[in-house]
């Protein structure tokens, strides 16, 4: 299951004709896990202030990417900010790169707008009374309430919300305070300075820190050493903005062991070990963070490769090895083995149900006119006999059950 990016309407290694199916429409079997995550983590543990890291592994075609997309769908429904990317596109050895990608995708201004609405309500005003497009300070001036006392109260609220919050880095808090002030219209922030603050928060090295000192802002640059602390601050701002938390899905981590020159990124031994160390540090720091759900996905190769895989970096392996034991699939486990889950949950009846969902998707994607033009045949679900063959084949084969189902349906179509 390879992908350059995590998109929510393609599953397994499907041909283009199946892209109409949304992740949430194919949850047969996998809902044993996804529903559990939704109830125990998204609705409770993460929303209540906890943080968690999960690792998803399995053979190619076992449904790893699909689970990431389905979990992201569920997180959106539970009002989380969701971030999804592939390790094939983002360097993983420098946590600053990960932070920057998360920052770019989460839309911090929408969070700050949520905080500004909360501030307005706290001051006894109603956001619904402010005309669309009008800043709060202009509304106050228009209604005769924009006196010095009210302006001082705005400053006091901003200080209390951001600078008095122990979960926020001081520089991050000050930048958010000034940006929220620009949304409210007070304190005034020029557009150029607004862009400078956002560029600093995004880790842009092209800006000169001396430019920020004119704002009485004396930050250090965001680096791999402070990026996790910045991520904690970002997650807190997301929560303060009215969201349940931050959901982050990282796919294709097996790229760490690839030696192909065709890959967009290539990891040397040093960069690979830096990546493992970065994940190790994140595991150690996760309990100090709040409202963050990290999910990494990778092929079994990353588990089995003794020389370059997870086992090659003892400091990381010691923290996750206890998760890879037990006879039965444990839904609380932080190391999610989709092959083991499939052996337990993907009965022939479930396999048939999955194929029926795929068949519906393929039929919707193939229009009547297309069928006349190129002879496309709507896919057919597998029968009970084939479903049992797939279940047996999956015990020793190189592919996961979902991919075996798709292959069987394609073979059947080829014979029609």
């Amino acid at each position: 299951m390879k992908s350059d990016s995590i998109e929510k309407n393609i599953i397994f290694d499907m041909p283009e004709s199946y892209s109409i199916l949304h992740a949430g429409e194919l949850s047969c079997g996998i809902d044993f896990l996804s529903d559990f995550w939704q109830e125990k983590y998204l609705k409770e543990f993460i929303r209540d202030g906890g943080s968690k890291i999960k690792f998803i592994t399995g053979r190619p075609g076992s449904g790893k990417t699909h689970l990431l997309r389905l979990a992201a769908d569920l997180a959106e429904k539970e009002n989380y900010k969701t971030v999804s990317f592939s390790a094939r596109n983002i360097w993983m050895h420098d946590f600053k790169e990960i932070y920057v990608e998360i920052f770019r995708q989460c839309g911090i201004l929408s969070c700050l707008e949520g905080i500004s609405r909360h501030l307005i309500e706290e001051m006894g005003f109603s956001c619904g009374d402010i005309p669309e497009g009008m800043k709060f300070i202009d509304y106050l001036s228009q209604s005769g309430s924009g006196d010095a006392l009210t302006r001082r109260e705005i400053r006091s609220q901003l200080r209390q919300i951001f600078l008095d919050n122990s979960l926020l880095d001081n520089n991050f808090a000050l930048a958010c305070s000034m940006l929220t002030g620009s949304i409210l219209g007070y304190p005034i922030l020029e557009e150029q300075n607004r862009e400078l603050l956002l560029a600093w928060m995004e880790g842009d090295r092209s800006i000169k820190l001396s430019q920020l000192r004119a704002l009485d802002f004396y930050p250090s640059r965001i680096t791999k050493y402070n990026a996790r602390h910045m991520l904690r601050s970002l997650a807190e701002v997301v929560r303060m903005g009215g969201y349940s938390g931050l959901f982050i899905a990282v796919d294709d981590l097996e790229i760490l062991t690839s030696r192909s020159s065709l890959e967009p990124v290539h990891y040397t031994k040093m960069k690979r070990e830096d990546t493992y160390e970065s994940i190790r540090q994140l595991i150690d720091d996760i309990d100090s963070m709040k409202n963050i759900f990290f999910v990494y996905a990778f092929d079994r190769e990353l588990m089995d490769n003794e020389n370059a895989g997870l086992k090659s970096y003892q400091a990381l392996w010691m923290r996750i090895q206890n998760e890879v034991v037990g006879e039965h699939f444990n839904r609380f486990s932080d190391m999610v083995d989709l092959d083991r889950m499939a052996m337990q949950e993907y009965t022939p009846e479930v396999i048939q149900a999955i194929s029926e969902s795929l068949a519906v998707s393929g039929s919707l994607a193939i229009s009547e006119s297309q069928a006349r033009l190129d002879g496309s045949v709507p896919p057919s679900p597998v029968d009970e006999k084939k479903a049992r063959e797939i279940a047996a084949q999956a015990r020793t084969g190189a592919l996961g059950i979902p991919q075996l189902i798709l292959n069987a349906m394609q073979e059947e179509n080829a014979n029609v």
Side-chain angles (χ1 to χ4, degrees):
M1 189 186 319
K2 314 296 184 194
S3 67
D4 289 337
S5 62
I6 300 179
E7 299 174 4
K8 295 175 184 173
N9 62 342
I10 304 174
I11 52 177
F12 315 137
D13 295 316
M14 286 190 166
E16 190 66 26
S17 61
Y18 288 86
S19 64
I20 194 171
L21 187 65
H22 192 272
E25 295 175 39
L26 183 63
S27 58
C28 303
I30 202 72
D31 54 6
F32 169 77
L33 181 61
S34 60
D35 288 355
F36 181 82
W37 280 10
Q38 183 178 18
E39 291 299 321
K40 299 299 183 182
Y41 294 105
L42 297 175
K43 286 187 175 181
E44 297 178 5
F45 183 70
I46 306 298
R47 179 179 287 167
D48 292 344
S51 286
K52 176 61 69 175
I53 303 175
K54 296 280 187 181
F55 300 93
I56 303 172
T57 190
R59 288 169 289 186
S62 58
K64 300 180 294 296
T65 299
H66 176 53
L67 177 57
L68 287 182
R69 294 167 186 159
L70 181 57
D73 270 4
L74 294 174
E76 283 189 2
K77 290 176 183 176
E78 297 297 337
N79 196 35
Y80 283 76
K81 280 281 190 179
T82 62
V83 174
S84 300
F85 59 90
S86 168
R88 297 180 183 278
N89 299 326
I90 304 297
W91 283 111
M92 303 297 293
H93 68 287
D94 185 343
F95 199 83
K96 178 201 168 184
E97 299 296 322
I98 297 173
Y99 160 79
V100 167
E101 184 63 24
I102 294 170
F103 181 87
R104 286 173 178 167
Q105 289 194 36
C106 79
I108 193 169
L109 289 179
S110 66
C111 300
L112 297 179
E113 287 169 1
I115 293 173
S116 70
R117 289 192 293 271
H118 174 73
L119 182 150
I120 291 169
E121 299 288 342
E122 282 293 305
M123 289 183 62
F125 296 89
S126 173
C127 294
D129 293 338
I130 303 174
E132 186 175 351
M134 178 179 286
K135 292 185 180 293
F136 180 50
I137 193 66
D138 295 330
Y139 169 76
L140 290 175
S141 299
Q142 191 179 73
S143 59
S145 303
D147 52 37
L149 188 63
T150 305
R151 291 169 184 263
R152 187 163 65 245
E153 176 63 17
I154 292 176
R155 284 184 177 274
S156 175
Q157 287 285 340
L158 288 172
R159 183 173 58 253
Q160 181 180 338
I161 291 171
F162 294 108
L163 300 177
D164 294 346
N165 189 328
S166 62
L167 287 175
L168 296 179
D169 171 86
N170 286 338
N171 289 323
F172 198 95
L174 184 56
C176 287
S177 176
M178 288 190 282
L179 288 168
T180 305
S182 73
I183 293 171
L184 296 168
Y186 182 82
I188 296 172
L189 184 67
E190 294 181 2
E191 181 65 21
Q192 180 183 358
N193 292 331
R194 176 179 174 276
E195 296 304 318
L196 277 175
L197 288 173
L198 289 171
W200 172 78
M201 297 175 82
E202 195 176 310
D204 188 344
R205 294 190 63 85
S206 67
I207 64 168
K208 296 179 180 179
L209 296 182
S210 58
Q211 294 175 281
L212 295 167
R213 290 170 190 150
L215 301 172
D216 287 330
F217 186 44
Y218 301 90
S220 56
R221 292 197 183 276
I222 297 176
T223 68
K224 67 179 181 180
Y225 301 107
N226 62 10
R228 286 187 305 281
H229 187 47
M230 294 300 177
L231 177 61
R232 184 178 76 167
S233 300
L234 178 59
E236 175 65 2
V237 170
V238 167
R239 182 200 64 81
M240 292 161 58
Y243 295 91
S244 301
L246 192 54
F247 177 88
I248 304 158
V250 184
D251 203 1
D252 303 317
L253 199 63
E254 70 276 359
I255 188 69
L256 294 173
T257 63
S258 175
R259 295 184 177 181
S260 173
S261 60
L262 300 177
E263 298 289 358
V265 297
H266 175 70
Y267 284 85
T268 61
K269 183 176 186 293
M270 182 176 293
K271 285 184 177 179
R272 182 170 59 245
E273 291 189 347
D274 284 346
T275 300
Y276 292 148
E277 174 62 15
S278 177
I279 296 173
R280 194 277 303 169
Q281 291 174 358
L282 182 62
I283 291 173
D284 288 354
D285 288 351
I286 198 66
D287 288 339
S288 70
M289 300 180 179
K290 292 183 179 295
N291 308 103
I292 299 180
F293 196 177
F294 257 102
V295 187
Y296 290 91
F298 47 85
D299 283 351
R300 188 167 295 282
E301 163 71 9
L302 198 65
M303 297 281 289
D304 296 339
N305 190 318
E306 298 279 349
N307 296 321
L310 295 172
K311 295 176 184 177
S312 69
Y313 198 78
Q314 281 297 310
L316 174 59
W317 181 246
M318 287 174 62
R319 286 161 174 77
I320 63 176
Q321 62 178 332
N322 291 334
E323 294 289 344
V324 200
V325 295
E327 295 181 5
H328 298 289
F329 183 82
N330 177 10
R331 290 187 290 183
F332 279 109
S333 175
D334 292 338
M335 181 62 73
V336 180
D337 187 337
L338 289 186
D339 294 325
R340 177 175 293 176
M341 191 199 76
M343 292 297 101
Q344 179 177 306
E345 297 299 317
Y346 285 20
T347 64
E349 291 75 20
V350 171
I351 290 173
Q352 284 186 278
I354 292 174
S355 71
E356 288 167 1
S357 293
L358 291 172
V360 169
S361 170
S363 297
L364 289 172
I366 298 173
S367 66
E368 185 177 342
S369 58
Q370 180 185 345
R372 285 198 304 268
L373 287 172
D374 59 19
S376 299
V377 179
S380 301
V382 301
D383 57 24
E384 182 180 352
K385 179 183 176 182
K386 191 62 179 179
R388 294 187 182 281
E389 290 177 4
I390 290 172
Q393 183 182 353
R395 297 185 182 279
T396 56
L399 297 176
I401 285 179
Q403 190 63 50
L404 291 174
I405 296 171
L406 183 59
N407 291 352
M409 294 173 66
Q410 290 173 335
E411 289 172 6
E412 182 65 28
N413 263 32
N415 296 329
V416 175

